[in-house]
Amino acid sequence: MSEPETVLPPAPGADDYLALDFANSAIAVPGGQFVDLLGTPAAANRWLTGRGLAPADAGVREMCATQLRSLREHVRGLLAARVAGLPALPSALSAVNDALSRAPTAALLYWDEKNGPYRAAPCPTNEILDRALAALAANAADLLTGPDADRLTLCGSAPCNRYLLRHGRRHWCSTRCGDRARAARAYARRTQPARP
Ligand SMILES: [Zn+2]
C-alpha cells in the first residue's frame, strides 16, 4: 500500500502543531479513496513512533487504535467548529478534556484480595497510549486557543480534507491540491457558458 504521507508533504502548520498532523492522519484522496494512517494497530504504532509518542514496540492494539481514531474525529470536529465560527459539540469538548486528564501522574492504588492494598503504575501499554492521547489533546487545545487559530482553515481543494494554517491567501494544503483546484476552475470556465 502506498503511504500518502510520503507523497503529500505535511500541510502548512502541521510541522508546528502535532494536533494538525493528527487531524490530517485520515486523508481523502481524489477518486473517493480514503487512507487512514491510524487504520490498523501496526499503522497507529508507526504513526505514534514517528512522532516520538510511543516506542516502536509499544504493542498498540486495536482498542488503542480505535481510541486514537475516536479522539481524532473529536479534534477534527473542534477544528471544524473553530473554522466555521460555530459552537463546539459538547461531546467533542468532553472527549478532548477526558484525553487531557489522562496523563498518568501517579501510581494508582490497587487492592489485592490476598495481600491488601498496593500501588502500581498502570500497565505500560495503557500508560503509553494515555500519554499519547493527552499530548495530542493538549496540542489541539493549544492550537485552538493560541494566536494561530485565526489562520486555521480546511484545504480548499475538494475532496481533500486536510486542515492547515493559512499563509497569506494560500488556502491549499499542498502544491498538488492547489494545482487540482486551479485545473478544476479552468475546466469549469471552459465548460460553462460565459455569463452575460
Ligand atoms: Zn489539500
Side-chain angles (χ1 to χ4, degrees), residues 70-71 74 90-100 137:
S70 165
L71 179 64
H74 289 305
S91 57
L93 210 48
S94 58
V96 168
N97 277 328
D98 181 53
L100 262 173

PDB file of all heavy atoms in Angstrom, residues 70-71 74 90-100 137:
ATOM      1  N   SER A  70     -10.959   7.765  17.446  1.00  0.00           N
ATOM      2  CA  SER A  70     -12.087   8.454  18.039  1.00  0.00           C
ATOM      3  C   SER A  70     -11.690   9.868  18.482  1.00  0.00           C
ATOM      4  O   SER A  70     -12.403  10.842  18.204  1.00  0.00           O
ATOM      5  CB  SER A  70     -12.600   7.622  19.215  1.00  0.00           C
ATOM      6  OG  SER A  70     -13.448   8.389  20.028  1.00  0.00           O
ATOM      7  N   LEU A  71     -10.521   9.977  19.137  1.00  0.00           N
ATOM      8  CA  LEU A  71     -10.060  11.307  19.545  1.00  0.00           C
ATOM      9  C   LEU A  71      -9.845  12.189  18.312  1.00  0.00           C
ATOM     10  O   LEU A  71     -10.156  13.381  18.323  1.00  0.00           O
ATOM     11  CB  LEU A  71      -8.762  11.206  20.368  1.00  0.00           C
ATOM     12  CG  LEU A  71      -8.186  12.554  20.814  1.00  0.00           C
ATOM     13  CD1 LEU A  71      -9.140  13.278  21.769  1.00  0.00           C
ATOM     14  CD2 LEU A  71      -6.823  12.384  21.481  1.00  0.00           C
ATOM     15  N   HIS A  74     -13.007  13.728  17.147  1.00  0.00           N
ATOM     16  CA  HIS A  74     -13.419  14.818  18.027  1.00  0.00           C
ATOM     17  C   HIS A  74     -12.557  16.064  17.799  1.00  0.00           C
ATOM     18  O   HIS A  74     -13.067  17.179  17.796  1.00  0.00           O
ATOM     19  CB  HIS A  74     -13.349  14.372  19.489  1.00  0.00           C
ATOM     20  CG  HIS A  74     -14.414  13.378  19.849  1.00  0.00           C
ATOM     21  ND1 HIS A  74     -15.757  13.625  19.642  1.00  0.00           N
ATOM     22  CD2 HIS A  74     -14.353  12.134  20.370  1.00  0.00           C
ATOM     23  CE1 HIS A  74     -16.468  12.581  20.042  1.00  0.00           C
ATOM     24  NE2 HIS A  74     -15.638  11.659  20.488  1.00  0.00           N
ATOM     25  N   PRO A  90     -20.583  19.533  22.552  1.00  0.00           N
ATOM     26  CA  PRO A  90     -20.186  19.183  23.925  1.00  0.00           C
ATOM     27  C   PRO A  90     -19.459  17.837  23.987  1.00  0.00           C
ATOM     28  O   PRO A  90     -18.524  17.667  24.768  1.00  0.00           O
ATOM     29  CB  PRO A  90     -21.527  19.122  24.665  1.00  0.00           C
ATOM     30  CG  PRO A  90     -22.441  19.986  23.875  1.00  0.00           C
ATOM     31  CD  PRO A  90     -22.007  19.867  22.444  1.00  0.00           C
ATOM     32  N   SER A  91     -19.874  16.871  23.145  1.00  0.00           N
ATOM     33  CA  SER A  91     -19.240  15.551  23.188  1.00  0.00           C
ATOM     34  C   SER A  91     -17.775  15.638  22.742  1.00  0.00           C
ATOM     35  O   SER A  91     -16.905  14.961  23.302  1.00  0.00           O
ATOM     36  CB  SER A  91     -20.004  14.577  22.304  1.00  0.00           C
ATOM     37  OG  SER A  91     -20.069  15.055  20.978  1.00  0.00           O
ATOM     38  N   ALA A  92     -17.478  16.493  21.755  1.00  0.00           N
ATOM     39  CA  ALA A  92     -16.099  16.645  21.299  1.00  0.00           C
ATOM     40  C   ALA A  92     -15.258  17.303  22.387  1.00  0.00           C
ATOM     41  O   ALA A  92     -14.120  16.910  22.653  1.00  0.00           O
ATOM     42  CB  ALA A  92     -16.055  17.469  20.012  1.00  0.00           C
ATOM     43  N   LEU A  93     -15.861  18.310  23.016  1.00  0.00           N
ATOM     44  CA  LEU A  93     -15.162  19.025  24.076  1.00  0.00           C
ATOM     45  C   LEU A  93     -14.833  18.095  25.241  1.00  0.00           C
ATOM     46  O   LEU A  93     -13.705  18.068  25.753  1.00  0.00           O
ATOM     47  CB  LEU A  93     -16.060  20.172  24.549  1.00  0.00           C
ATOM     48  CG  LEU A  93     -15.412  21.431  25.076  1.00  0.00           C
ATOM     49  CD1 LEU A  93     -14.321  21.928  24.145  1.00  0.00           C
ATOM     50  CD2 LEU A  93     -16.480  22.516  25.243  1.00  0.00           C
ATOM     51  N   SER A  94     -15.805  17.284  25.643  1.00  0.00           N
ATOM     52  CA  SER A  94     -15.544  16.423  26.795  1.00  0.00           C
ATOM     53  C   SER A  94     -14.581  15.300  26.425  1.00  0.00           C
ATOM     54  O   SER A  94     -13.791  14.860  27.269  1.00  0.00           O
ATOM     55  CB  SER A  94     -16.846  15.891  27.396  1.00  0.00           C
ATOM     56  OG  SER A  94     -17.571  15.187  26.438  1.00  0.00           O
ATOM     57  N   ALA A  95     -14.600  14.850  25.171  1.00  0.00           N
ATOM     58  CA  ALA A  95     -13.646  13.805  24.752  1.00  0.00           C
ATOM     59  C   ALA A  95     -12.219  14.329  24.821  1.00  0.00           C
ATOM     60  O   ALA A  95     -11.300  13.631  25.273  1.00  0.00           O
ATOM     61  CB  ALA A  95     -13.967  13.325  23.341  1.00  0.00           C
ATOM     62  N   VAL A  96     -12.007  15.572  24.373  1.00  0.00           N
ATOM     63  CA  VAL A  96     -10.664  16.156  24.406  1.00  0.00           C
ATOM     64  C   VAL A  96     -10.236  16.415  25.849  1.00  0.00           C
ATOM     65  O   VAL A  96      -9.096  16.150  26.229  1.00  0.00           O
ATOM     66  CB  VAL A  96     -10.602  17.431  23.539  1.00  0.00           C
ATOM     67  CG1 VAL A  96      -9.327  18.213  23.785  1.00  0.00           C
ATOM     68  CG2 VAL A  96     -10.704  17.053  22.054  1.00  0.00           C
ATOM     69  N   ASN A  97     -11.155  16.908  26.656  1.00  0.00           N
ATOM     70  CA  ASN A  97     -10.813  17.132  28.063  1.00  0.00           C
ATOM     71  C   ASN A  97     -10.533  15.825  28.790  1.00  0.00           C
ATOM     72  O   ASN A  97      -9.649  15.750  29.646  1.00  0.00           O
ATOM     73  CB  ASN A  97     -11.931  17.903  28.765  1.00  0.00           C
ATOM     74  CG  ASN A  97     -11.804  19.392  28.518  1.00  0.00           C
ATOM     75  OD1 ASN A  97     -10.695  19.907  28.370  1.00  0.00           O
ATOM     76  ND2 ASN A  97     -12.921  20.075  28.448  1.00  0.00           N
ATOM     77  N   ASP A  98     -11.267  14.798  28.417  1.00  0.00           N
ATOM     78  CA  ASP A  98     -11.034  13.486  29.023  1.00  0.00           C
ATOM     79  C   ASP A  98      -9.625  13.003  28.673  1.00  0.00           C
ATOM     80  O   ASP A  98      -8.889  12.523  29.536  1.00  0.00           O
ATOM     81  CB  ASP A  98     -12.088  12.501  28.509  1.00  0.00           C
ATOM     82  CG  ASP A  98     -11.927  11.123  29.125  1.00  0.00           C
ATOM     83  OD1 ASP A  98     -11.877  11.066  30.371  1.00  0.00           O
ATOM     84  OD2 ASP A  98     -11.843  10.135  28.378  1.00  0.00           O
ATOM     85  N   ALA A  99      -9.236  13.165  27.414  1.00  0.00           N
ATOM     86  CA  ALA A  99      -7.890  12.755  26.987  1.00  0.00           C
ATOM     87  C   ALA A  99      -6.830  13.587  27.694  1.00  0.00           C
ATOM     88  O   ALA A  99      -5.773  13.081  28.077  1.00  0.00           O
ATOM     89  CB  ALA A  99      -7.764  12.885  25.473  1.00  0.00           C
ATOM     90  N   LEU A 100      -7.128  14.888  27.859  1.00  0.00           N
ATOM     91  CA  LEU A 100      -6.179  15.788  28.527  1.00  0.00           C
ATOM     92  C   LEU A 100      -5.867  15.339  29.945  1.00  0.00           C
ATOM     93  O   LEU A 100      -4.746  15.460  30.422  1.00  0.00           O
ATOM     94  CB  LEU A 100      -6.780  17.199  28.590  1.00  0.00           C
ATOM     95  CG  LEU A 100      -6.337  18.175  27.533  1.00  0.00           C
ATOM     96  CD1 LEU A 100      -7.138  19.452  27.639  1.00  0.00           C
ATOM     97  CD2 LEU A 100      -4.858  18.487  27.698  1.00  0.00           C
ATOM     98  N   ALA A 137      -4.269  15.778  22.692  1.00  0.00           N
ATOM     99  CA  ALA A 137      -5.368  16.633  23.124  1.00  0.00           C
ATOM    100  C   ALA A 137      -4.853  17.991  23.593  1.00  0.00           C
ATOM    101  O   ALA A 137      -5.430  19.038  23.279  1.00  0.00           O
ATOM    102  CB  ALA A 137      -6.156  15.951  24.242  1.00  0.00           C
TER     103      ALA A 137
END
